[in-house]
Amino acid sequence: MDDLVVSTPVGLFCPAGGFHIDPWGPAERAVVTHVHADHARPGSAAYLCTEASAPFLRRRMGEAAVVQGTAYGERVRLGGAVVSFHPAGHVLGSAQIRIEAAGQVWVISGDYKRAPDPTCPPFEPVRGDVFVTEATFALPIYRWPEPDAVAREVMAWWERNRQAHVASLLFCYAMGKAQRLLAELARLTDRPVLVHGAVAEVSELYRQQGVSMLATTRVAELPARRSYAGELVLAPLSAGGTPWVRRFGEREIALASGWMRVRGTRRRKGYDRGFVLSDHADWPALLRTIEETGAGRVLVTHGYTEELARFLREGGRDAGVLATHFEGEADV
Amino acid sequence: MKAFARLYEELDRTTSTNAKVAAMAAYFRSAPAGDAAWALFFLTQRKIKRLLPTRVLWELTLEMTGMPGWLLEHCYAAVGDGAELVALLVDRPVDRPPAEDLSLERWMEERVLPLKDMDLAAQARAMREYWSDLETLEILVLNKIITGEFRVGASATLAIRALAQVAGVPQPIMAHRVMGDWPPSAGFFQHLLAPEPEHRLDSHPYPFFLASPLEEDPASLGARAEWMAEWKWDGIRAQLVRRGGATYVWSRGEELVTERFPEVIAGATHLPEGTVLDGELLAFRDQVLPFAVLQKRIGRQKLTPSILADAPVAFMAYDVLEEGGEDLRERPLSERRARLEALLARAAAPALRASPVVEGSGWPDLARVREEARARNVEGLMLKRLSSPYRTGRRRGDWWKWKIAPYTIDAVLIYAHPGHGRRATLFTDYTFAVWDQGELVPVAKAYSGLSDAEIAELDAWVRRHTRERFGPTRAVEPVQVFELAFEGIAASTRHRGGVAVRFPRILRWRKDKPAAEADTLDSVKALLTARA
Ligand SMILES: [Zn+2]
Ligand SMILES: [Zn+2]
């Protein structure tokens, strides 16, 4: 039986359906798991994604782009294949893609996590013959603490800095992680938070879809020469080390990311604090998910692929690596 | 244990000296005295004997997690620290409530130290139990203590500064109080905090005064007549303490090494009560012997008559810090020197010698004399200001070491190993080789000397040019050449190349030099003969 999905120079391709999945080069039709930049790239003729992803995709690709949104679970026929989206729990709008054709079912996970997240529907296991899984954190050292415990750590850090009259500058992915933090913190405080423009833009789209979060103010809207002592500021990693951060005066800087589980990584990147908060599955969640899909064959992309595939093979499973371009992306 | 783990984390996190001192002072103020004593023990770089090797912790981890060995190695490559690796793999499952917090003192005395008397199976059982009671960071700290690798991100001097603040006594006094061997107990800690020391421990040495490297022309020091010159000995810096009818020999690492040097102890019986000398332990027979001879002596568990005969040791004294029970450290060096010579003349013990004063009327004369250093098995000259007191620690200005240039070679990078601590996820430790009949033979391992930017660049290069992996170690394409410096060289049967180098370090990355032009083993061995 032919593989439903194959690796091509521009990304994963489904010959039966005539579409690419998260292509990094121009494609006729791109089926997009979620709107992170390494998965949703400009240049394709038409995009198919979830309804929740569509507003983000339109903003990213411009009004001229052809973007079609579809509800979770809805079956869409593309060529000789039937395609449907299922919650991946990664960020708002993120989906696994189920492809059915020629009597086979393949499930492409995209990025996913199993930990609770107040900003998006939880991951739903989908049964299939073949499961294509991500492996960003596929080493047993990566096991996540409870997100609400992490949120309390962030609060304690902010509080300590407030008392010391220094600013708390927390770096995080502007799409997804920032909103998750704002939603988690809303359970613990009602103090407003300052945000970088990139975070503000995404948060606005989240709010339009009914996600409730702490009130935010754009740093750019505040008067110049204002004191930031005691404030919490959320900013994308790209703002780190730029003149933008100088305005905050005395500050502590932190990063919220799964990579912060390892001390050396935090120190090497020069953060004062690291909060272990990831939008990816940790090691136990990866293994549990693979189990739950019931898939006889597992293909691994994105991250510690060789490690996960070998571990699965040694456990008696049919597993291999599916080469993609995502490797080495700064996935935080 | 939680408070101590938090202190460890804070010291690890901040690079600010003031913040480190403040964190330690806060801990000393709030912790129970027994905990504070143990914390001080570790913060002043003291160590307990290794109770379990890291290898055993790894085996236990494999057993507990059921993961294959290769996966553990891949995890190690991502973590770069053996103790942390184990902590990240065995830490408490998220659904288990934390156990009650036990004090550092009770951890050490009731759980850690008793491991020493257990068999392997009991140790394994105990470790499993300990791990399940602790959080990630505490497990990391525990593992480091147990494997004898515990180190904190702060120097002993900073810990002493913090404690001096807490006690409200001057720092040099606190430095003196915490010297030597002491039991980490509540009683001892309270004694440290006393406004006036109630009694002095007989065995206690003084804090060592350390010389700074002289990088400029010695003429910048002023008139030659204001300075005394001595040879810079290549031995073990030590203080000889003669008090209460007993003799104690302390190395600079504050280790009591008395029983290693019976001939020095025998000589010391001729010294009057209440004497403290500063000097160097050297292998000596009519003249100074190479450091390798001294090493032979230190390396042996048992001092047999043949070892004592093959590697005789003398104490080369260069200062007297106490005479007749009186602290002389504030007296000028010229006076101390005169007293030292008189003292040693009266003792007339061959194993106690006065480090000779090196003559030479002007700086140029002295520079010529210094050229003899290598042939004399010394590292260069010491320059000491005749009017200076005996200070504490490394204070610039009065004592300078004026070393001869170290040996240098150009060698090829062949293996890269991941570093530790701050450099855990980078390849920072390197093995270098030289040519021998068309083959590269390893001659040195070095890690210091590159800038952070160079380390990052080399790390990226290593990852792209790996030929083979041996666990975390990478064999790389042999193309990068580095200029290495080292302090000494000796023939060795244990090293493949037949030579062993001492204190190798990287001087610079020779990007201009192709690997084929690196040094040969013959040219390295030529340095050996140059020495003899
Ligand atoms: Zn993503
Ligand atoms: Zn991704």
Side-chain angles (χ1 to χ4, degrees), chain B residues 14-49:
Chain B
T14 177
T15 51
S16 145
T17 307
N18 288 339
K20 284 180 201 270
V21 172
M24 287 188 277
Y27 181 86
F28 289 139
R29 279 197 186 96
S30 62
D35 284 20
W38 271 107
L40 182 69
F41 179 86
F42 289 121
L43 292 168
T44 49
Q45 328 285 332
R46 287 169 166 77
K47 282 188 178 120
I48 58 166
K49 229 182 114 233

Side-chain angles (χ1 to χ4, degrees), chain A residues 143 261 267-268 272 307, chain B residues 12-13 74 88 91 425:
Chain A
R143 284 178 297 134
R261 171 101 165 129
R267 285 196 293 197
R268 194 154 52 86
D272 300 315
E307 285 82 355
Chain B
D12 176 63
R13 196 183 281 158
H74 284 233
L88 290 176
D91 60 353
T425 51

Side-chain angles (χ1 to χ4, degrees), chain A:
Chain A
M1 214 166 359
D2 283 344
D3 281 355
L4 272 194
V5 172
V6 294
S7 192
T8 76
V10 288
L12 298 182
F13 179 65
C14 172
F19 61 88
H20 285 81
I21 299 151
D22 294 349
W24 51 82
E28 272 306 292
R29 178 179 286 281
V31 174
V32 173
T33 59
H34 67 291
V35 301
H36 275 153
D38 56 328
H39 294 260
R41 306 248 181 155
S44 290
Y47 294 90
L48 180 66
C49 61
T50 62
E51 279 172 342
S53 285
F56 295 92
L57 217 51
R58 289 202 183 95
R59 175 157 311 183
R60 170 92 58 78
M61 308 298 175
E63 287 309 315
V66 182
V67 175
Q68 186 194 340
T70 174
Y72 284 122
E74 196 179 311
R75 295 162 67 88
V76 180
R77 176 161 288 282
L78 292 176
V82 174
V83 172
S84 53
F85 293 88
H86 304 268
H90 176 55
V91 295
L92 183 58
S94 65
Q96 312 167 67
I97 294 167
R98 180 185 184 277
I99 305 166
E100 189 173 345
Q104 289 184 70
V105 173
W106 282 49
V107 179
I108 318 296
S109 78
D111 291 344
Y112 68 98
K113 72 168 173 285
R114 305 301 301 268
D117 180 343
T119 68
C120 63
F123 180 96
E124 279 174 18
V126 180
R127 314 267 318 164
D129 302 303
V130 179
F131 184 51
V132 179
T133 183
E134 65 134 318
T136 308
F137 289 103
L139 284 179
I141 50 172
Y142 295 111
R143 284 178 297 134
W144 309 144
E146 295 295 343
D148 61 304
V150 178
R152 280 197 301 274
E153 271 179 46
V154 174
M155 270 315 283
W157 171 70
W158 181 9
E159 193 52 47
R160 201 177 137 163
N161 289 341
R162 256 162 62 91
Q163 274 161 20
H165 303 288
V166 301
S168 302
L169 195 46
L170 177 52
F171 289 101
C172 55
Y173 220 142
M175 159 74 202
K177 189 73 62 68
Q179 293 70 34
R180 187 179 178 201
L181 278 162
L182 289 170
E184 288 284 356
L185 291 177
R187 298 169 173 176
L188 304 171
T189 181
D190 46 17
R191 258 186 249 147
V193 172
L194 306 184
V195 294
H196 183 276
V199 174
E201 256 175 57
V202 178
S203 303
E204 188 188 298
L205 292 177
Y206 264 68
R207 287 202 171 91
Q208 282 169 14
Q209 296 198 36
V211 177
S212 71
M213 295 176 286
L214 276 184
T216 52
T217 307
R218 279 174 195 249
V219 170
E221 285 167 6
L222 294 171
R225 306 200 170 281
R226 174 191 194 278
S227 162
Y228 290 90
E231 302 281 13
L232 173 64
V233 185
L234 296 193
L237 280 86
S238 55
T242 68
W244 184 82
V245 303
R246 273 190 226 140
R247 69 187 75 200
F248 300 109
E250 242 197 286
R251 59 192 174 261
E252 281 225 348
I253 59 165
L255 176 66
S257 159
W259 299 114
M260 296 296 99
R261 171 101 165 129
V262 174
R263 280 182 327 144
T265 318
R266 172 185 61 70
R267 285 196 293 197
R268 194 154 52 86
K269 291 177 189 277
Y271 293 99
D272 300 315
R273 275 302 289 269
F275 298 107
V276 184
L277 188 72
S278 176
D279 286 327
H280 292 271
D282 62 3
W283 174 258
L286 289 168
L287 299 186
R288 172 179 141 218
T289 305
I290 289 163
E291 203 57 49
E292 286 173 0
T293 61
R297 183 173 163 212
V298 177
L299 294 172
V300 188
T301 73
H302 209 313
Y304 287 103
T305 50
E306 301 282 356
E307 285 82 355
L308 182 56
R310 177 169 169 193
F311 183 81
L312 293 172
R313 274 198 305 276
E314 289 182 1
R317 206 177 274 276
D318 179 1
V321 170
L322 197 56
T324 65
H325 224 223
F326 304 126
E327 321 304 320
E329 295 277 348
D331 229 313
V332 288

Side-chain angles (χ1 to χ4, degrees), chain B residues 81 135 157 222 322:
Chain B
D81 177 308
E135 291 182 349
T157 314
E322 184 177 309

Side-chain angles (χ1 to χ4, degrees), chain B residues 188-399:
Chain B
F188 174 76
F189 189 77
Q190 276 149 357
H191 174 78
L192 281 180
L193 295 183
E196 284 298 322
E198 281 135 34
H199 63 87
R200 194 189 54 197
L201 293 172
D202 267 348
S203 63
H204 254 188
Y206 290 97
F208 285 87
F209 181 27
L210 307 175
S212 308
L214 181 68
E215 270 130 21
E216 277 154 50
D217 192 294
S220 65
L221 299 178
R224 165 73 181 91
E226 289 170 18
W227 295 83
M228 184 176 93
E230 294 168 37
W231 295 114
K232 168 139 186 30
W233 305 109
D234 183 14
I236 297 171
R237 178 82 182 273
Q239 269 183 51
L240 193 156
V241 178
R242 176 83 186 149
R243 287 192 200 117
T247 302
Y248 310 87
V249 181
W250 293 91
S251 76
R252 216 195 91 196
E254 292 179 34
E255 233 183 306
L256 203 50
V257 293
T258 317
E259 66 275 20
R260 315 289 317 154
F261 305 102
E263 58 269 71
V264 174
I265 303 315
T269 56
H270 300 282
L271 290 172
E273 173 69 20
T275 304
V276 178
L277 304 180
D278 183 16
E280 198 106 355
L281 291 160
L282 296 166
F284 194 95
R285 185 189 295 117
D286 305 323
Q287 57 163 349
V288 177
L289 305 173
F291 186 78
V293 179
L294 184 60
Q295 248 173 342
K296 219 187 285 173
R297 172 75 170 265
I298 314 162
R300 289 304 160 89
Q301 279 302 328
K302 253 190 95 179
L303 291 179
T304 59
S306 72
I307 285 287
L308 289 172
D310 287 352
V313 166
F315 183 75
M316 192 67 90
Y318 36 66
D319 217 324
V320 53
L321 311 184
E322 184 177 309
E323 190 183 13
E326 188 195 347
D327 182 349
L328 299 181
R329 293 176 300 158
E330 288 302 316
R331 309 292 178 88
L333 172 63
S334 49
E335 181 188 333
R336 299 198 310 274
R337 175 74 203 187
R339 285 180 175 234
L340 175 72
E341 285 174 10
L343 197 65
L344 291 175
R346 281 195 302 274
L352 305 183
R353 322 184 67 90
S355 176
V357 172
V358 177
E359 306 297 341
S361 53
W363 293 120
D365 275 353
L366 210 51
R368 266 192 300 281
V369 176
R370 175 168 152 270
E371 294 308 314
E372 301 167 14
R374 203 162 272 159
R376 287 172 173 268
N377 286 319
V378 298
E379 297 179 314
L381 287 176
M382 294 293 300
L383 303 175
K384 297 177 179 175
R385 195 188 296 276
L386 282 163
S387 61
S388 64
Y390 187 91
R391 299 181 186 276
T392 297
R394 197 180 301 280
R395 289 269 298 277
R396 293 173 71 83
D398 289 336
W399 277 25

